[in-house]
Amino acid sequence: TVMGEVQQQFPADRVAIIQDNRELKGLFANQIEIMTQVEQTRFAVNGSSSQHEYEWHDALYDVLRMAIKRIFWSELRERKSAEALLNASFAGMTDGFVTTLHTNSVRHTFTRLEHLLPRDIPREQIGDFVDFIIYCEEYVDEFGVTRRRISDLGRAFGFDSVRQEYIIEPAVAAA
């Protein structure tokens, strides 16, 4: 996977992998794996208990209190996870985040993020959230097997409030 390739750039880092189903497995020698969307039982001092779902923001809160260098976040699919990750990215507690997001192209990445996030989040903040975009496409190889390959790379430079657009430049010529 692309996430597996990215992790090779940081082999010694202490990382956290946060996901809602176990897609990312054993990527790092020094990793903490946290599963969200899991039913948890909380016990109060008086002996009572209550059930709650351990959600994205719960996992992120726990991870940000640890000495984590980088956070690998499974696919951004819904508002809660996207909003939690965006908010954490501005906390300055790690060296970065790596996640996946399904879009139609490098350029559509920001449009997809805008649809996932609440409307009141400034576009400048969304623009500062992304540094690099790796776009993969599916293809069928010579044996009829569907595979993925990197077809475009983009370097994001924020949001231009005068032109009202995100600034994205090619990182490398597409293959």
Side-chain angles (χ1 to χ4, degrees):
T1 67
V2 172
M3 291 279 237
E5 295 297 319
V6 170
Q7 69 89 20
Q8 291 180 13
Q9 303 303 309
F10 316 104
D13 285 0
R14 181 171 163 82
V15 303
I17 298 174
I18 301 174
Q19 53 193 335
D20 58 354
N21 64 45
R22 199 154 192 261
E23 296 174 345
L24 308 173
K25 300 174 189 166
L27 297 178
F28 297 89
N30 190 5
Q31 73 182 32
I32 295 168
E33 290 184 53
I34 297 179
M35 297 298 295
T36 64
Q37 315 303 331
V38 176
E39 200 63 31
Q40 298 283 325
T41 302
R42 287 193 175 154
F43 294 96
V45 176
N46 66 6
S48 65
S49 67
S50 65
Q51 295 290 115
H52 86 288
E53 195 170 85
Y54 188 75
E55 296 195 36
W56 295 98
H57 63 273
D58 297 319
L60 199 51
Y61 177 79
D62 289 342
V63 164
L64 290 176
R65 294 176 22 208
M66 302 173 192
I68 298 295
K69 191 94 161 136
R70 225 166 287 291
I71 296 175
F72 278 64
W73 190 272
S74 81
E75 179 187 340
L76 289 181
R77 285 188 287 272
E78 39 93 5
R79 177 164 288 170
K80 283 183 179 180
S81 67
E83 189 173 12
L85 189 58
L86 180 72
N87 289 332
S89 73
F90 294 104
M93 303 291 280
T94 71
D95 284 353
F97 297 86
V98 178
T99 190
T100 61
L101 177 71
H102 287 252
T103 68
N104 294 325
S105 69
V106 165
R107 183 119 340 248
H108 286 113
T109 299
F110 288 103
T111 304
R112 176 82 171 109
L113 278 172
E114 285 181 0
H115 287 280
L116 281 174
L117 293 164
R119 299 240 181 254
D120 62 341
I121 294 182
R123 294 174 90 190
E124 291 81 3
Q125 189 175 7
I126 297 171
D128 290 342
F129 177 60
V130 177
D131 292 320
F132 289 99
I133 303 164
I134 301 171
Y135 181 72
C136 298
E137 66 182 0
E138 287 187 345
Y139 71 100
V140 178
D141 69 13
E142 65 272 12
F143 303 106
V145 177
T146 301
R147 300 190 182 274
R148 289 192 178 126
R149 66 177 164 214
I150 294 173
S151 62
D152 200 3
L153 298 170
R155 174 78 169 98
F157 294 95
F159 182 78
D160 184 330
S161 56
V162 173
R163 294 185 354 217
Q164 291 294 300
E165 65 184 20
Y166 294 99
I167 304 163
I168 306 170
E169 294 180 4
V172 176

